[in-house]
């Protein structure tokens, strides 16, 4: 290509900084520039943006100033028409990243409009992609943003989020968007920007793909943290620029019919999304917090209650007793446990089992989490003054055989539920208590008479969810003698028996766990227990009587499941600790904690150097270097540590992937050819999961071939450099990707 015909800024001008040019154009003075540079250091924004934020300059002044200083044309994009074959030359992602727009083609020259012609990487990239000479014009940022929206149709979904091509497009927001006031029009426009739509969709699709139950969007001082609750455990998925917070939250509010103009008051909303063939109901709530609105999205699983009673996970004995109980014509069955212990799923499973054309089943729920065909489900609305008690009263008039009450929260609901149970109805409900025997105490506290409880209560289930062991990386878990000793408090474990754990693999995101299962205790109200109950006694008395009849606690059921290799012993003790005296508890805690910390430190030892001293208290950026050549590793480490980066390293792709997930580096530099997993596969994997997708990756290789470079960039790498690399060249690329102010040589 003939660069002579280009008008791109000459090399000498290129090195100039925007601030200096604006100074020269007399748009700002030295004092303002210094102030802006100071702000820039702490905010990591581009200097132009800082100046605009300061209100000293607007984007048109910047564009015109640049145009006059660089002697290139200023272009207004107001009424411009751009043919599709021209926009096709430049990918949307690139246009958005560099804030530029292809305008027209004259012979083999592509005319582009951009906000900052000093971005010479943009020009290099453009030449590389289009194989054309570039003629640069300057336009305002707002014109370019508007034009990108107009000329890049949304079909381009999935450019940034490559892994979602084909999947991301399948998400569909079902539900109406309300009309908004004019004063929020700007915000509304913002929420329709393709990157905002795409990000919102991706956050939701990934959450559903990863089987998350909740998505948390948490604004911090300088960024936004997205966390998912997966298998009951909160997991940080990514950190985003603070600027995305308002558009992202507003977008979520729009799809869930909330008011985007209200940001200081809590709001609730709901939405339904379709991913593939499944529809998912979302319950959204927003609350104002110190750094902006915190949003929580609960994803209701359409497959809840999908298993049969036999698959719930009751022991053989408990299952037999339970099956006998649920076919009783009247009485009450309670499921206890904290929020998120799977109580509703258990109740839905029972309802599905009992559902037949011969019985009339009615539910009162808040919210209706799962639709069951043939059952009347009533949603209550406590905020509008419709409580469980009201709902229950009204459905009892419909003469149901079986009633499910979402939760007994107050004395009034408890009393009506027990009345129903005494008058020919089978009542199912949940109660928020720690274990099954405590349910009785809670009911007494709520004002239900002891003889009423004794008369109607049939059974109480206590339940928890524990994480299952990942089948892909399951290995035996040799227990220390101390743990075995502690286990003898609970059961008589056979020392020849084995426990299991997950070693951690790609499939389980190195957690060793996959999916969840229930652990249960079932308190049957036998004639003996019934006699004790009617005397208005403490839970401990009931428990002792139950023990004599072979009551098996949550912890015991958990240990049995751990011995079966379904979960780990740590998980059982975390979720359902055994009950014995305090001293024994403490030594057991120490035993398990030591085990955990020992295994964690051995895993991380080689990757956790002391962080280099930070400048001005700012956390140094963490870079992961992946190379099988230890000399290269050492050289790179020295270069980068001298630049105040914190370094972690890996010698192949498998190891790197694990570190990337666990340590969340700010940037990754990887070699191409390595044993086990090469750099190409590593990049593909990094870019195919949300946790690592936004980490910039530089490929640093001896392969000086255009085909390899194209392949690597297509896989999602952010840059490609060949070895041996000039340290300055490497550092300037790193700083650009990390958005750090670069020190340039004049
Ligand atoms: Zn695994």
């Amino acid at each position: 290509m003939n660069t002579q015909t280009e008008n791109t800024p000459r090399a000498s001008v290129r090195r100039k900084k925007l601030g200096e040019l604006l100074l020269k154009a007399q748009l700002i003075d030295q004092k303002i520039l210094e102030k802006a540079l100071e702000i820039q250091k702490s905010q990591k924004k581009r200097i132009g943006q800082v100046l605009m934020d300061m209100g000293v300059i607007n984007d048109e002044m910047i564009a015109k100033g640049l145009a006059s200083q660089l002697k290139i044309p200023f272009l207004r994009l107001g009424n411009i028409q751009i043919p599709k074959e021209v926009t096709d030359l430049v990918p949307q992602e690139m246009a958005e990243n560099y804030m530029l727009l292809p305008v027209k083609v004259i012979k083999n020259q592509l005319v582009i409009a951009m906000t900052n012609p000093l971005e010479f990487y943009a020009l290099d990239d453009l030449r590389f992609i289009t194989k054309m000479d570039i003629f640069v014009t300057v336009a305002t940022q707002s014109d370019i943003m508007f034009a990108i929206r107009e000329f890049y149709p949304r079909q381009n979904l999935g450019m940034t989020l490559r892994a979602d091509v084909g999947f991301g497009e399948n998400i569909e927001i079902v539900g109406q968007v309300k009309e908004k006031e004019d004063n929020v029009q700007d915000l509304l426009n913002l929420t329709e920007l393709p990157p905002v739509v795409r990000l919102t969709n991706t956050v939701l699709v990934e959450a559903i793909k990863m089987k998350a139950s909740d998505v948390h969007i948490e604004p911090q001082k300088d960024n936004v943290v997205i966390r998912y609750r997966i298998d009951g455990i909160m997991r940080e998925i990514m950190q985003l620029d603070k600027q995305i917070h308002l558009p992202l939250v507003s977008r979520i509010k729009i799809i869930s019919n909330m008011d985007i103009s209200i940001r200081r008051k809590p709001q609730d909303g709901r939405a339904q999304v379709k991913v593939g063939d499944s529809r998912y109901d979302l319950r959204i709530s927003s609350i104002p917090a110190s750094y902006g609105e915190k949003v929580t999205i609960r994803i209701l699983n359409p497959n809840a209650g999908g298993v049969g009673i036999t698959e719930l996970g009751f022991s053989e004995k408990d299952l037999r007793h339970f099956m006998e109980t649920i076919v009783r014509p009247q009485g009450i069955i309670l499921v206890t446990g904290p929020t998120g212990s799977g109580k509703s799923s258990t109740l839905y499973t029972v309802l599905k089992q009992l559902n037949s054309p011969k019985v009339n089943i009615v539910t009162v729920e808040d919210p209706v989490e799962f639709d069951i065909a043939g059952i009347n489900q009533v949603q209550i609305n406590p905020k509008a003054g419709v409580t469980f008690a009201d709902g229950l009263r009204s459905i009892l008039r419909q003469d149901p055989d079986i009633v499910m009450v979402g939760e007994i929260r107050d004395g009034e609901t408890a009393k009506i539920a027990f009345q129903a149970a005494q008058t020919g109805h089978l009542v199912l409900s949940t109660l928020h208590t720690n274990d099954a025997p405590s349910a009785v105490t809670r009911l007494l506290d709520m004002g239900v008479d002891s003889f009423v409880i004794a008369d109607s209560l049939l059974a109480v289930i206590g339940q928890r969810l524990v994480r299952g062991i990942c089948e892909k990386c399951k290995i035996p878990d040799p227990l220390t003698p101390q743990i075995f000793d502690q286990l003898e408090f609970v059961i008589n474990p056979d020392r020849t028996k084995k426990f299991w754990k997950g070693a951690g693999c790609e499939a389980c995101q190195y957690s060793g766990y996959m999916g969840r299962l229930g652990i249960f205790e079932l308190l049957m109200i036998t004639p003996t227990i019934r006699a004790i109950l009617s005397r208005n006694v403490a839970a401990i008395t009931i428990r002792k009587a139950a023990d004599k009849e072979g009551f098996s606690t949550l912890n015991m059921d958990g240990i049995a499941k751990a011995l079966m290799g379904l979960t780990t012993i740590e998980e059982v003790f975390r979720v359902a600790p055994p009950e014995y005296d305090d001293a024994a508890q403490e030594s057991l805690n120490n035993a398990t904690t030591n085990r955990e910390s020992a295994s964690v430190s051995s895993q991380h030892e080689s990757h956790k150097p002391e962080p280099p001293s930070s400048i001005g208290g700012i956390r140094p950026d963490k870079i992961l270097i992946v190379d099988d050549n230890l000399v290269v590793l050492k050289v790179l480490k020295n270069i980068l540590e001298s630049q105040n980066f914190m370094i972690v390293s890996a010698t192949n792709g498998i190891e790197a992937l694990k570190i990337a997930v666990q340590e969340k580096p700010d940037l990754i530099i990887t070699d191409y050819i390595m044993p086990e997993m090469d750099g190409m596969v590593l990049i593909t994997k990094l870019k195919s999961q949300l946790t690592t997708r936004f980490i910039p990756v530089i490929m640093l290789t001896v392969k000086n071939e255009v085909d390899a470079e194209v392949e690597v960039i297509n896989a999602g790498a952010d840059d490609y450099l060949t070895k041996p690399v000039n340290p300055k060249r490497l550092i300037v690329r790193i700083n650009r990707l990390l958005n750090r102010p670069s020190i340039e040589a004049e």
Side-chain angles (χ1 to χ4, degrees), residues 157 162-170:
L157 202 78
R162 292 173 190 85
D164 288 331
V165 175
F167 192 67
E169 283 166 302
N170 277 337

Side-chain angles (χ1 to χ4, degrees), residues 470 473 504-505 508:
C470 170
C473 58
C505 68
C508 59

